Amino acid sequence: MLRGVSDDVNQALRDEQQRFEAALAEVNDADALYELQVQYIGKKGSVSKLRGRMGKLAPEERKAFGMAFNEVKKAIEASLEGRKQAIAQAAREADLARIEDLTMADTMSAVGSIHPISRTRRELARVFRKLGFDVVDGPHVEHEEYNFDKLNIPPTHPARDMQDTFFVNGEGGVADSRLVLRTHTSPVQIRTMLGRKPPIRIVAMGTVFRKDDDATHSPMFHQIEGLYIDTHVTMADLKATLYRFVSAFFGADLKVRLRPSFFPFVEPGAEFDMECPFCPTNAAGEKLPHCSVCKGGRWIELGGSGMVHPKVLESCDIDPQAHSGWAFGFGIDRMATLLHGVPDLRLLFDGDVRFLEQFPC
Ligand code: PHE
């Protein structure tokens, strides 16, 4: 019997299906699977092409071929889909296998919280930025020249004594001076004046080091320094700024008091105190005598301040005839204890998580 066109086409269809199944068995990833799909049942795929040959069939054979064609195409589609699922499942399983044990206990460590000193620094920065100050930084290891000489602290000054200052071995001090761990934040005044032209309005915060260690002194503590240089700057600007600062920081209208004092880098120099914001009051708002913070003194000592000494301006190439300015410096740790009601300064540096946990973010 002569093989008709129909037989040829049907045979071709079956051949393609077989070839497809054989090829499918080799496929293990989604890309190859897609290629296979295009190759067989895509628009120009080998199976799709057979459909074009339907026109050559006798009308009575067309129906049977059409049905056979649709069946084969559906079977191929089902096989593709089945394999697609299997490949996706295998990928999921491989992912899961990489995670060693899903039931393992959670090993994420506690996130922790921001240290009271850091929080205080952030709060100080926020308040001083609002008052128009830039927040700048300086190194902990400092040139002796910047820490002392340019601040009008002569070589014979007792502050340089080995008992106060940590000297650092190594090269690199300017003008042959040695390196020290900065004993205060005041060298940032020098760095700023050497690097910027007036008007200057900065605060600098950070760790400072002194060689003493007892119940009320830590060899490492924190200071903030303020510096304002412009034309016609006076002590009144200093007092007004300190007043604005303490009032904003403690959220109350607090007076500031300046008491004459001596620091080599300011003239005149003053210690500054703020009105105690913690004194208990009676119903009429009058302060009661017993306050655990100021011990009834009504004032809390904060730090030192004064008009920048002309010699200091000169040491930084600023003409004291044309410019004047003030500076202040005080301890941040004290601020942090006051702000957060911490009874003992040393708690801040013990690193005891039971203490630190009490300051959640
Ligand atoms: N640097 C001084 C100290 O550490 C404080 C101070 C700063 C005083 C600025 C006056 C002006 O004690």
Side-chain angles (χ1 to χ4, degrees):
M1 193 179 82
L2 264 178
R3 276 165 61 93
V5 182
S6 163
D7 292 334
D8 281 355
V9 181
N10 278 311
Q11 185 59 46
L13 193 60
R14 278 194 297 276
D15 288 350
E16 284 308 318
Q17 187 176 13
Q18 263 175 21
R19 271 190 348 124
F20 166 81
E21 294 294 346
L24 184 68
E26 306 289 314
V27 167
N28 286 315
D29 66 86
D31 288 345
L33 191 70
Y34 179 70
E35 262 174 43
L36 204 65
Q37 176 178 340
V38 172
Q39 200 182 330
Y40 284 86
I41 56 170
K43 252 190 184 167
K44 293 182 180 163
S46 55
V47 173
S48 309
K49 272 186 189 158
L50 291 175
R51 202 164 192 278
R53 286 166 68 178
M54 211 155 93
K56 294 184 181 149
L57 297 178
E60 65 276 14
E61 289 167 339
R62 275 186 207 160
K63 195 177 166 201
F65 176 75
M67 278 167 64
F69 178 86
N70 285 340
E71 241 166 59
V72 168
K73 192 172 176 204
K74 269 198 191 131
I76 289 178
E77 280 169 352
S79 297
L80 285 167
E81 184 57 30
R83 177 51 61 98
K84 193 170 156 188
Q85 301 281 350
I87 289 171
Q89 176 66 19
R92 266 198 300 278
E93 276 166 15
D95 273 351
L96 288 176
R98 271 198 293 276
I99 303 168
E100 279 172 9
D101 179 3
L102 285 178
T103 61
M104 206 156 70
D106 178 6
T107 53
M108 285 254 293
S109 51
V111 175
S113 58
I114 297 170
H115 192 278
I117 300 276
S118 303
R119 280 177 171 231
T120 307
R121 284 177 65 159
R122 288 181 186 196
E123 183 60 14
L124 288 166
R126 195 183 66 79
V127 171
F128 276 108
R129 280 204 184 97
K130 264 195 171 171
L131 291 173
F133 287 76
D134 276 355
V135 179
V136 302
D137 226 348
H140 294 167
V141 178
E142 186 54 279
H143 305 299
E144 189 180 16
E145 168 98 2
Y146 291 0
N147 195 84
F148 296 125
D149 300 67
K150 283 184 178 291
L151 285 165
N152 193 31
I153 304 174
T156 50
H157 196 281
R160 297 198 189 195
D161 198 300
M162 294 301 282
Q163 292 185 359
D164 288 317
T165 306
F166 289 107
F167 286 87
V168 177
N169 289 333
E171 306 275 305
V174 285
D176 289 334
S177 79
R178 288 174 293 180
L179 292 170
V180 299
L181 293 185
R182 65 178 180 187
T183 58
H184 50 179
T185 41
S186 300
V188 185
Q189 288 187 35
I190 302 299
R191 288 178 171 273
T192 306
M193 287 189 278
L194 288 175
R196 295 189 188 192
K197 295 264 161 290
I200 290 170
R201 224 193 259 252
I202 58 103
V203 288
M205 285 178 268
T207 314
V208 300
F209 309 84
R210 288 186 200 173
K211 205 163 170 272
D212 47 14
D213 190 9
D214 57 43
T216 53
H217 295 91
S218 154
M220 184 274 314
F221 55 106
H222 302 87
Q223 283 190 338
I224 178 170
E225 192 84 12
L227 177 70
Y228 176 34
I229 311 278
D230 204 342
T231 51
H232 312 295
V233 177
T234 71
M235 216 66 182
D237 299 308
L238 169 66
K239 195 170 180 189
T241 304
L242 291 173
Y243 162 70
R244 291 262 169 239
F245 154 65
V246 293
S247 298
F249 191 78
F250 288 96
D253 187 14
L254 298 171
K255 289 194 185 67
V256 165
R257 170 172 92 171
L258 298 179
R259 282 177 291 117
S261 184
F262 173 77
F263 301 93
F265 36 94
V266 285
E267 182 57 38
E271 306 251 357
F272 69 97
D273 307 335
M274 70 168 184
E275 199 184 346
C276 178
F278 304 104
C279 290
T281 50
N282 63 16
E286 290 159 330
K287 288 189 172 178
L288 297 170
H290 305 296
C291 171
S292 60
V293 180
C294 68
K295 310 276 185 267
R298 300 282 167 89
W299 295 96
I300 294 177
E301 283 184 31
L302 281 186
S305 64
M307 298 305 292
V308 178
H309 199 291
K311 280 191 181 166
V312 175
L313 293 175
E314 273 168 0
S315 78
C316 297
D317 295 326
I318 293 177
D319 179 3
Q321 301 299 327
H323 291 99
S324 58
W326 50 248
F328 66 78
F330 61 87
I332 294 180
D333 314 276
R334 183 86 199 285
M335 275 282 177
T337 57
L338 291 176
L339 198 62
H340 300 292
V342 176
D344 184 336
L345 197 85
R346 285 168 297 177
L347 285 167
L348 293 171
F349 305 125
D350 284 348
D352 186 334
V353 279
R354 290 169 304 175
F355 167 73
L356 296 171
E357 268 169 3
Q358 296 172 49
F359 303 91
C361 291

